[in-house]
Amino acid sequence: SGLGLMPATSTMEKTHISFFQGQVLNLARKCDAASADGHRTVAEASIQKSRVVELWSMFPSFCVHPVDMKENFAALAKTLVKALGDYSRYPKLIPIICGGLKTLAIGIMERAESNASPHAKEDYDVLSSLSTKLLPSLFKLVETLNQSGSTSGGNDAMETEETSKEKQANNQQNMQLVEAVTDAIGQLAQISPPEFLQNLFKKVVQRLLVATTEISENTDDKEAKNAATLRICSLLGLGQALIASGSLDDASLSLLYRAV
C-alpha cells in the first residue's frame, strides 16, 4: 500500500493540492481499477474499493490551508464533481468531499477577512469563481439522492419485513448524505458571486412553483403527487441552505415568501 508514503495528515497545516491530485488520487485510481478487475474475488474487489475511500479520506486535511489554489484547484474541482457523480459506487465519498469543501471555504473566508495570508484574496477569488461549477453539481446531487430514496424498496405490496428495513436504512443514509451536501452548499454560497447566487436561487423558486402547481393538478394521481411533493421538499432544503448562507438580498427572500 502507498499509504505509508503519505504525510501525517493530522499534523498538516499548509498543504499542496498538487500532491493530493497527483499522488493520492493516482493511487485511488489504481485501486478503483483493481476493484473492477474481473480476475479478483468479490472480497478482493471490496478491499480495493475500501482503499479508494481511505485514500479519499485524506482530502479534508488537504483543504485546511492549501498553498496552490490558483495553480491546481480548477483541475481538482473537475475531479471532485466527477467523484460525486459516482456516488452509487462510492457513497462514502460524499461526506468526505463535502466536508473538505466546507473546510476549504471556511478557511479561505477567515484568511481573507483577516488578511492572514499574502494569497488570501487570490484564493478567495479562485474558490468564488469555481463555486459556480461546484454549486450546480451539488444541487443536482441533492435532488438525485432524494429521488433515489423515494424509489428504493420496490413495490410496497410486495414488500417484506427485510426489504422494508433495507428501504428504511437506505432512506436514512440518503438523508445523512443530503445533509452533508446541503452543509457544503450553505458554506460555498457565502463565497459565491452574488449575481450567480441570486440567479441560482431564482431557479430554485421557479422550480418550486412548478412542483406546487403539479400537486394541485394531479390530485388523483398519487404517484405524480408524491413525486412532486418530494421535489418540493428537496427544493425547500436547497433554498434553506442558500438562505442560511446569509448571502441573499432582500428581493430574493421576498421572492421565496411569495412562492410559499
Side-chain angles (χ1 to χ4, degrees), residues 157-231:
M158 302 294 290
E159 194 172 85
T160 65
E161 182 178 353
E162 184 176 347
T163 57
S164 177
K165 289 181 178 178
E166 182 180 341
K167 182 178 180 181
Q168 186 176 3
N170 183 68
N171 287 341
Q172 185 175 2
Q173 174 184 270
N174 281 350
M175 287 174 62
Q176 292 171 343
L177 295 179
V178 166
E179 183 178 355
V181 180
T182 52
D183 281 351
I185 288 173
Q187 202 63 54
L188 282 173
Q190 296 183 44
I191 208 169
S192 186
E195 184 177 350
F196 168 80
L197 198 63
Q198 314 303 335
N199 289 334
L200 191 62
F201 187 74
K202 286 178 183 177
K203 290 179 182 178
V204 170
V205 174
Q206 288 168 355
R207 293 170 71 178
L208 185 61
L209 288 170
V210 170
T212 304
T213 302
E214 287 179 3
I215 285 184
S216 61
E217 292 178 349
N218 294 287
T219 54
D220 297 327
D221 190 336
K222 183 179 179 181
E223 186 174 338
K225 190 173 182 179
N226 287 341
T229 300
L230 185 68
R231 281 203 302 279

Side-chain angles (χ1 to χ4, degrees), residues 24-25 34 53-54 79 109 118 131 134 144 175 198 202 220 247:
V24 180
L25 289 189
V53 176
E54 288 172 3
T79 304
M109 286 180 64
S131 70
L134 292 167
T144 303
M175 287 174 62
Q198 314 303 335
K202 286 178 183 177
D220 297 327
S247 302

Side-chain angles (χ1 to χ4, degrees), residues 243-256:
I243 291 171
S245 73
S247 302
L248 295 173
D249 58 20
D250 292 340
S252 295
L253 296 177
S254 297
L255 184 65
L256 176 62

Side-chain angles (χ1 to χ4, degrees), residues 5-247:
L5 301 177
M6 301 299 119
T9 55
S10 61
T11 59
M12 292 172 76
E13 292 183 2
K14 294 184 178 181
T15 57
H16 288 82
I17 290 172
S18 59
F19 184 85
F20 180 77
Q21 176 86 322
Q23 301 296 321
V24 180
L25 289 189
N26 187 44
L27 285 173
R29 292 186 188 98
K30 290 179 179 179
C31 292
D32 181 51
S35 73
D37 186 347
H39 295 93
R40 294 182 183 273
T41 66
V42 173
E44 289 172 340
S46 178
I47 290 172
Q48 294 299 325
K49 291 184 73 174
S50 294
R51 287 176 178 167
V52 172
V53 176
E54 288 172 3
L55 288 161
W56 265 101
S57 68
M58 298 180 186
F59 174 62
S61 294
F62 281 89
C63 293
V64 174
H65 191 169
V67 297
D68 54 346
M69 283 287 294
K70 180 180 179 181
E71 296 82 4
N72 296 302
F73 187 69
L76 179 60
K78 293 179 181 178
T79 304
L80 299 179
V81 169
K82 185 176 180 180
L84 288 171
D86 201 18
Y87 80 93
S88 60
R89 294 177 63 231
Y90 292 104
K92 291 181 180 179
L93 293 189
I94 291 178
I96 292 172
I97 293 174
C98 289
L101 288 173
K102 186 176 178 180
T103 297
L104 183 66
I106 290 173
I108 284 177
M109 286 180 64
E110 289 177 348
R111 290 190 290 276
E113 289 171 2
S114 63
N115 201 24
S117 166
H119 302 292
K121 179 62 169 62
E122 192 176 70
D123 290 351
Y124 186 100
D125 291 342
V126 168
L127 185 57
S128 178
S129 175
L130 287 168
S131 70
T132 62
K133 307 293 184 185
L134 292 167
L135 281 172
S137 296
L138 293 173
F139 268 53
K140 182 179 179 181
L141 181 57
V142 168
E143 293 187 325
T144 303
L145 287 169
N146 279 324
Q147 290 170 4
S148 174
S150 70
T151 56
S152 63
N155 191 336
D156 290 342
M158 302 294 290
E159 194 172 85
T160 65
E161 182 178 353
E162 184 176 347
T163 57
S164 177
K165 289 181 178 178
E166 182 180 341
K167 182 178 180 181
Q168 186 176 3
N170 183 68
N171 287 341
Q172 185 175 2
Q173 174 184 270
N174 281 350
M175 287 174 62
Q176 292 171 343
L177 295 179
V178 166
E179 183 178 355
V181 180
T182 52
D183 281 351
I185 288 173
Q187 202 63 54
L188 282 173
Q190 296 183 44
I191 208 169
S192 186
E195 184 177 350
F196 168 80
L197 198 63
Q198 314 303 335
N199 289 334
L200 191 62
F201 187 74
K202 286 178 183 177
K203 290 179 182 178
V204 170
V205 174
Q206 288 168 355
R207 293 170 71 178
L208 185 61
L209 288 170
V210 170
T212 304
T213 302
E214 287 179 3
I215 285 184
S216 61
E217 292 178 349
N218 294 287
T219 54
D220 297 327
D221 190 336
K222 183 179 179 181
E223 186 174 338
K225 190 173 182 179
N226 287 341
T229 300
L230 185 68
R231 281 203 302 279
I232 288 175
C233 292
S234 177
L235 291 166
L236 283 173
L238 292 172
Q240 183 180 16
L242 293 180
I243 291 171
S245 73
S247 302

